[in-house]
Structures are given as structure tokens and as C-alpha cells.
Amino acid sequence: MSRILILGATGYVGLPFTQSLLRTGSHTIYGLSRSSRSAHILTANEIRPVDGDIANLSHLTSFIATNIDIVVDCSSAYDHFASLLATVVEAGKLRLERYAKAGITASMGAPKMGFVSMSGTWVHGSSRTVRASDFDPVGTEFAAQQPPRMVAWRPACERAALERRDVLNVMVVRAGLVYGREGTIWTPLWTPVLRAAQSSSTAPVNLPLDVNSTPGVIHVDDVASGLRLAVENVARLAGTGEYPVFDLVTETVSMQAVMNAAAKVAMWDGEIVLKGAWEDQFGEAMSTSYVVGSGRAKFLLGWEANRRDFVQEMDTYFNAWKVAQEEK
């Protein structure tokens, strides 16, 4: 049984991920909590709260070294990534030191601390002709394309984590554009459509998106299962020499088709104009288009997507998002 600390455990991806882990009955789950409200949510979901703020985890070094086997970062807190990684590395060193004092050395297979970091496939940048790969040196001068500005920081975080494989068992999981449930990231795009429908507006809805964009998408449940498999395989793959970076994408969709389907569900028959992202960093990121597969995740992790047909099932996803907005 693994003891797992999740950073961002109450978040959009974090909570389904914790539930995926708990359903196996094979793990003890801890979640970082910085308020009584988040502690309540964690406890209600059978997750053990650990008081702390991701901006400063150094006081948890000893706790992590003693009580945790794997740390998973679902927080996207890039401002604090260096410090949180430093804490995990220090905890990993303490763990190995304690094993060494007990007479269990590295040559005997002393188990390293695991660290799974969630990233995103936007790091590949946009290309409709060059197929992206898990192996691409993203964010470097050798990459075919550069990531959109909104996530330009991510490749450096990935490399920083991978560089600490001397102390940690590391895995990076890159999710595509996530949808499903409250679908938070879709709010800036779907809200104007919903408002137009509610006001019976006939004016076009203009959105800062590339009219030809074809993003790779994935349901939040499939991200959760991918992260669960990463946790369950991070130690096993560490000794194989496999590059521990995996892209998770279920299907490629037309952004114009996504928005048209959302308008249809909202019962609005006006025109949606994708006017181009231009200087809009969010629109640029949402328009990121690429050809990417998840073959290595399927072969090495045993990952299989269960949720497909984002556009075809838009009534389910748009209405789930709408209800979630009403409850806020």
C-alpha cells in the first residue's frame, strides 16, 4: 500500500484523481490543506488533510520523508514549483539516509521517494503537420514549435523534476485540453454563448480563437486514471530506462465544432466568430493544435481512455458546466 500526498487534491483534476486512487483500496491518500474549508472537503472525501501552503512546504520535509511514498503535484502552482520540488528532493534525501542507516543501501534497492508532476500537451506548441512525441525536447531550441506564452514556464518545470532522478523516481504526465464536469477552463468561451442565449441576442459572439484550431482533448476522468497509473508505475519504470514522460490525449476536435455544438445546446442560433487569438494569451493556448498520440501511455502504463465524443455528447458536458456555474 502506497502513502500518497497530493498537492491540489481539491482541484478540478485533483479530486477525481484522489477518488480514482481510493477506489482501488490500495492507497492511503493525504491532501495538502491551507484552510478549514479545504480540510473539510478532503475529510468528506476520505482524504487525510495535511496543513500547509504550497508556497512554503519546507516545514513538511520531515513529515513527507517519514510518512509519504509518492508526492503528486496537480496544483499548476508554477510560481512555487521550484520550492515545492526542493522540499520533495530534501525529503527524498532524508528517506534514503534513513534507509542507509538501517543498512538498506541504494545497491540493495532502497526505494526512492516518488514524484509525479502533472503538465500539459500545450508544451508541444502548434503544428498540424509535425507529429508530436513524448520524447520531444519541448521548450528548447531543438523543439519543432514553442509552447504558447501562457504555459511557456512548463518545460523548465518538467526538466527540473526530471533532473532530480538521482534522488527521486520521477514521472511527468501531460494532459490534453481537459473537459467534463464543471469544465472550468471552458468558462471564458461558453459564458458569452450562454449569455447571448439568455438575452436572445442576435449579435455575433466573437471569441479570441484560431478558426482552424484543432486541440487534443481529454475527459477529466481519463486524466485521473492516467495519473493513477503513473502513481502505480512510477517505481517500476524507474529501473527500466524508459523516458518517464507521457502525453494523454483522447481525440482531436475542431474548436469551431465545439463552439457550434455548445451554442446548439444553449439553444442559440446566432453566429460564433473565431476572430483569431492575436495578443490574447488564453485564446492562443486554447487554440493550440497538434497531432499527438498516447501510445506509450497505453503500452507502458496500461492506460485506456473511456470517455470520448466531446462534440457529439456536448449536451452532457455543456449542461454539467452550466449547472456547476449556477452552484458557485
Side-chain angles (χ1 to χ4, degrees):
M1 177 178 286
S2 296
R3 300 162 299 176
I4 304 163
L5 173 62
I6 300 174
L7 312 179
T10 61
Y12 175 47
V13 171
L15 200 54
F17 167 47
T18 61
Q19 297 308 300
S20 180
L21 286 170
L22 286 168
R23 278 191 290 271
T24 69
S26 301
H27 309 288
T28 301
I29 312 300
Y30 296 82
L32 188 67
S33 168
R34 63 177 180 179
S35 68
S36 58
R37 181 177 179 275
S38 63
H40 176 79
I41 294 171
L42 291 170
T43 303
N45 284 279
E46 303 176 8
I47 305 162
R48 303 182 184 194
V50 176
D51 292 337
D53 191 322
I54 200 165
N56 183 12
L57 296 179
S58 57
H59 68 288
L60 293 176
T61 302
S62 180
F63 170 83
I64 294 172
T66 306
N67 299 282
I68 301 299
D69 300 309
I70 303 170
V71 177
V72 183
D73 178 26
C74 300
S75 67
S76 295
Y78 67 92
D79 286 343
H80 308 298
F81 186 84
S83 62
L84 77 84
L85 178 61
T87 297
V88 178
V89 168
E90 187 60 30
K93 290 179 179 178
L94 286 176
R95 178 186 174 99
L96 292 176
E97 288 172 5
R98 288 173 179 170
Y99 276 116
K101 289 177 181 178
I104 305 173
T105 63
S107 61
M108 296 168 64
K112 295 179 181 177
M113 178 80 65
F115 182 63
V116 176
S117 179
M118 181 178 167
S119 185
T121 54
W122 284 349
V123 296
H124 289 296
S126 280
S127 175
R128 298 181 184 85
T129 57
V130 179
R131 187 174 182 85
S133 164
D134 301 343
F135 299 121
D136 290 342
V138 297
T140 72
E141 62 181 304
F142 304 104
Q145 301 83 30
Q146 294 302 308
R149 291 163 292 174
M150 196 168 111
V151 296
W153 51 271
R154 267 188 173 161
C157 292
E158 290 186 8
R159 290 193 295 273
L162 292 169
E163 286 172 356
R164 297 323 312 254
R165 294 170 70 190
D166 58 327
V167 177
L168 307 172
N169 291 329
V170 177
M171 191 174 292
V172 175
V173 176
R174 298 175 181 148
L177 179 53
V178 186
Y179 68 93
R181 308 278 164 66
E182 64 263 37
T184 310
I185 200 167
W186 296 94
T187 299
L189 303 180
W190 288 354
T191 297
V193 175
L194 181 60
R195 288 177 178 169
Q198 292 172 335
S199 65
S200 300
S201 172
T202 58
V205 169
N206 294 288
L207 297 172
L209 297 168
D210 179 354
V211 67
N212 296 314
S213 58
T214 53
V217 298
I218 183 171
H219 191 278
V220 65
D221 286 349
D222 289 324
V223 179
S225 67
L227 285 170
R228 174 180 58 78
L229 288 166
V231 163
E232 294 174 347
N233 287 279
V234 64
R236 179 182 65 81
L237 286 184
T240 65
E242 289 287 351
Y243 188 54
V245 178
F246 297 92
D247 293 329
L248 300 182
V249 171
T250 303
E251 59 183 330
T252 299
V253 297
S254 159
M255 188 62 84
Q256 184 73 68
V258 168
M259 296 310 306
N260 289 345
K264 182 177 180 180
V265 176
M267 293 187 290
W268 184 70
D269 59 2
E271 183 183 9
I272 295 179
V273 179
L274 307 190
K275 63 179 184 178
W278 300 103
E279 295 303 314
D280 189 295
Q281 292 192 23
F282 175 74
E284 178 191 29
M286 292 293 284
S287 298
T288 304
S289 305
Y290 42 76
V291 181
V292 63
S294 300
R296 289 182 67 248
K298 294 175 182 178
F299 180 72
L300 293 173
L301 302 181
W303 179 75
E304 289 290 343
N306 293 314
R307 308 294 296 272
R308 293 181 172 84
D309 301 325
F310 179 31
V311 173
Q312 293 87 335
E313 300 293 332
M314 183 59 69
D315 56 334
T316 296
Y317 303 124
F318 186 87
N319 286 324
W321 165 83
K322 179 181 175 183
V323 170
Q325 298 303 302
E326 294 169 352
E327 292 177 347
K328 290 182 177 179

